[in-house]
Amino acid sequence: SVVTQECYVQNTAREYAKLYAAEAEPLEGFGEVPEIIPIFLIHRPANNIPYATVEEELVGEFVKYSVKDGKELNFLRRDSEAGQKCCTFQHWVYEKTNGNLLVTDLQGVGMKLTDVGIATLAKGYKGFKGNCSFSFIEQFRALHQCNEYCEMLGLKSLRTTHQKQRKATSTKSKNLPNSSTVKKMVPKKAREPRDFISSEH
């Protein structure tokens, strides 16, 4: 049922969030880490809707840090600490699962999140199938901008591969006269800070 699936997805995302916290919390200057609250399935045999979910009530301003369709970027994602850490969490999961899984619909109050979704490739990931379309993974890859928390965790920039080549035609003539040799020699690391700086302003 949809309700069971909802529990399964949120609690799976919660496990990833715990692993993320374990890695991020000890880092100097990282601070508080987003948490996905648990959701419980209850059976009510006497009720005409026999299954329901129960979770902690979140009190405060409810914010959508990342919505299903990656094109609708909520400005609070980039401007708030919680929003940036949610973006980093998505990047961390994406990297950990080799691009096979992405936690979507990050929303909640402050650092406490609920009602999340998960997108997986069609075949799923380690026997798990998400409840969101694979296109969210593609959108994430195209739209994610690394921030200082991505840097702290040492995550690899997603702005390499096909996007760099597509943009290459416009930048080649300006600053890389001999781009083919330069491209091979410039290590990825040297190019990352540029992405990082531009996304900060």
Side-chain angles (χ1 to χ4, degrees):
S1 75
V2 174
V3 177
T4 329
Q5 171 78 346
E6 192 185 309
C7 282
Y8 185 41
V9 164
Q10 179 144 329
N11 290 326
T12 301
R14 176 174 159 77
E15 290 307 309
Y16 279 108
K18 283 186 198 166
L19 295 169
Y20 171 61
E23 223 171 280
E25 273 172 341
L27 298 175
E28 198 183 330
F30 198 96
E32 200 186 342
V33 181
E35 169 200 359
I36 295 172
I37 63 171
I39 182 169
F40 303 100
L41 185 66
I42 56 163
H43 185 218
R44 306 174 298 172
N47 199 292
N48 58 358
I49 301 166
Y51 287 96
T53 57
V54 181
E55 63 181 343
E56 173 191 349
E57 187 186 2
L58 298 181
V59 180
E61 191 198 352
F62 196 88
V63 175
K64 291 190 175 206
Y65 296 112
S66 80
V67 280
K68 272 211 169 89
D69 178 359
K71 289 194 172 69
E72 290 179 58
L73 291 183
N74 186 309
F75 72 95
L76 283 161
R77 276 182 77 176
R78 298 241 176 92
D79 296 355
S80 72
E81 183 188 342
Q84 287 188 355
K85 286 176 175 176
C86 284
C87 290
T88 298
F89 171 54
Q90 288 185 299
H91 188 171
W92 181 86
V93 169
Y94 174 87
E95 194 172 289
K96 271 275 175 279
T97 61
N98 297 315
N100 285 290
L101 186 145
L102 180 73
V103 181
T104 63
D105 285 11
L106 295 173
Q107 51 195 327
V109 175
M111 298 272 181
K112 285 196 169 196
L113 311 175
T114 183
D115 248 358
V116 301
I118 291 181
T120 53
L121 299 183
K123 62 181 188 316
Y125 177 70
K126 292 189 174 177
F128 176 86
K129 274 202 156 115
N131 59 346
C132 296
S133 140
F134 164 60
S135 63
F136 301 144
I137 296 181
E138 291 176 325
Q139 280 176 342
F140 172 75
R141 208 168 37 217
L143 295 165
H144 174 72
Q145 288 186 343
C146 284
N147 58 50
E148 61 182 305
Y149 302 108
C150 297
E151 295 261 316
M152 281 187 200
L153 280 160
L155 300 174
K156 291 192 272 304
S157 169
L158 302 177
R159 304 224 166 265
T160 48
T161 61
H162 67 280
Q163 282 178 292
K164 277 251 159 82
Q165 274 130 37
R166 216 182 291 153
K167 284 187 202 142
T169 44
S170 56
T171 53
K172 249 181 217 173
S173 52
K174 274 181 241 160
N175 51 11
L176 297 176
N178 193 358
S179 65
S180 56
T181 52
V182 173
K183 218 179 220 158
K184 279 180 203 128
M185 288 160 55
V186 174
K188 269 193 204 143
K189 271 277 170 275
R191 283 189 292 209
E192 270 169 23
R194 212 169 31 192
D195 294 335
F196 172 54
I197 291 157
S198 66
S199 65
E200 264 207 323
H201 298 303

